[in-house]
Each structure stands twice: as C-alpha cells, then as structure tokens.
Amino acid sequence: MKRAIYPGSFDPVTLGHLNIIKRAAAMFDELIVCVSVNSSKSAGLFTPEERVELLRRAVRDIPGLERGRVEVDSSPGLLVDYAKAHGAKAAVKGLRAVSDFEQEVQMAVINRKLNPRLETMFLASSDKYTYLSSTVVKEMARYGADLGEFVPREIVDAVNQRMRELEGTEGKEG
Ligand code: ADP
C-alpha cells in the first residue's frame, strides 16, 4: 500500500489545497492530509481541531474518490516521525511560485537527512490557484468578499462566521 502525507497549516483549507489533494490522491493508495500543529506560529483563525473538521467536510464528497483514499489528521510533532509511524513513503507539497520553492526545498533536504526513506514530491499549483493562500482567504473574508472562488463551498459559512466573531471581539477590545 502506497501512502503519502500532505502536511500544512490549512488555516483554512483553500481550493488550491483541494486541487493538490485531488491530484495527489490519484497517485497513491492513501493520502493523509495532516494539519501540522506549529507551536511557533501565532494562533490562527481556526484551532487545529477545527481545521481538521473543515478539511474533513471539504474532502468528504470528492467526486470519483473512494472512501478511505483521503484521511485527515493532525500532528504536533515532526513530519518525519509522523511519516515513519504511519508507514508513509512520500510527503507531498504544492508549489505556487519561486517564493515557495526556496523554503520547501530547504525543508525537503532537512527531512531527507532526518529520514532518507521519506521522499518529498512537489506538485506545481494549478494556474487557477497560484495566487491563492490561506492568508489571501483571511483578507478577503475580512472585507466581506464572496469566498466561493477561494475555499470549498462546504466551509464558506464557517469562515465568514469565524471572521465576524473575531471582528466583533476586536471591536469590543479596541
Ligand atoms: P498557506 O498558508 O500558505 O496556504 P499551508 O501551510 O496551508 O500554506 O500549505 C500547505 C501546503 O500546500 C504547502 O505545500 C503549500 O505550498 C501548498 N499550497 C498552499 N496553497 C496552495 C495553492 N494555492 N496551490 C498549490 N499548493 C498550495
């Protein structure tokens, strides 16, 4: 069984992520989308548990995909340890631009040193989504833009609602 991991922050999952998920899932028997719980990053829009839940909603009904082919999980530790524990042969990364490349290649080299059996595979972003990041989504949500073109439709309401809650609290505090 060939299993791969697609790690990231997914705060929240975007259509760019979903595009990589579908393409990677077609290449392996199982793809584990893994929310990396990164303690050095500041608190996000969603907690890691919520991101997992939103990802599960987004991947539930991918057309043409059998059940079990995409799993969603989270991990506080190192990717290489998670990969070893789950018998994964590859880590999948999406590349949008040269700016992604530098950091991702550095991580790939480090991960290879830590676990030479884990290959990192890069999938070039679909041209439709090269501009798209979770940060862009958060900006759009803040200004009340229609999120339908940016995130899976199953999670549009959740993102809008969370942004309204946050704006409400910030307003009260300020
Ligand atoms: P971001 O917050 O920048 O969207 P993530 O950590 O959630 O980043 O991204 C997880 C992985 O998905 C990374 O490998 C990243 O390069 C990739 N990725 C993010 N957005 C896209 C996109 N629009 N197209 C292709 N790959 C993407």
Side-chain angles (χ1 to χ4, degrees):
M1 162 129 161
K2 285 210 176 87
R3 186 179 279 146
I5 301 177
Y6 176 35
S9 311
F10 305 105
D11 185 37
V13 54
T14 69
L15 290 179
H17 294 131
L18 199 62
N19 177 262
I20 298 287
I21 292 172
K22 287 179 190 166
R23 289 163 55 201
M27 299 168 62
F28 294 93
D29 299 311
E30 187 179 277
L31 180 74
I32 306 177
V33 184
C34 186
V35 175
S36 324
V37 183
N38 189 338
S39 54
S40 68
K41 271 199 179 172
S42 54
L45 186 62
F46 292 100
T47 66
E49 295 75 24
E50 289 169 333
R51 294 177 211 174
V52 166
E53 162 58 26
L54 294 178
L55 269 162
R56 288 205 172 120
R57 264 193 243 168
V59 303
R60 195 167 290 149
D61 294 315
I62 297 180
L65 211 69
E66 309 133 40
R67 244 164 228 291
R69 192 161 255 227
V70 177
E71 296 290 339
V72 184
D73 196 6
S74 66
S75 165
L78 282 175
L79 172 69
V80 287
D81 293 338
Y82 185 91
K84 207 177 272 175
H86 290 79
K89 292 188 167 41
V92 174
K93 297 293 187 88
L95 283 185
R96 283 162 291 194
V98 186
S99 48
D100 276 346
F101 183 82
E102 207 173 325
Q103 202 197 350
E104 294 292 3
V105 168
Q106 191 183 19
M107 277 311 298
V109 173
I110 293 171
N111 283 336
R112 201 172 161 70
K113 280 201 191 302
L114 295 172
N115 179 359
R117 291 209 201 141
L118 182 72
E119 289 290 356
T120 302
M121 289 183 48
F122 296 106
L123 293 185
S125 177
S126 154
D127 57 351
K128 278 195 286 190
Y129 303 123
T130 45
Y131 67 92
L132 193 52
S133 68
S134 299
T135 308
V136 163
V137 166
K138 284 180 258 200
E139 272 308 281
M140 293 297 128
R142 186 165 290 127
Y143 294 108
D146 179 2
L147 297 185
E149 279 185 49
F150 306 124
V151 301
R153 60 186 155 69
E154 294 85 352
I155 75 156
V156 168
D157 289 346
V159 176
N160 281 327
Q161 190 184 336
R162 175 54 51 88
M163 194 50 86
R164 279 198 302 270
E165 286 164 12
L166 278 188
E167 299 278 281
T169 3
E170 277 170 18
K172 268 177 217 148
E173 279 167 5

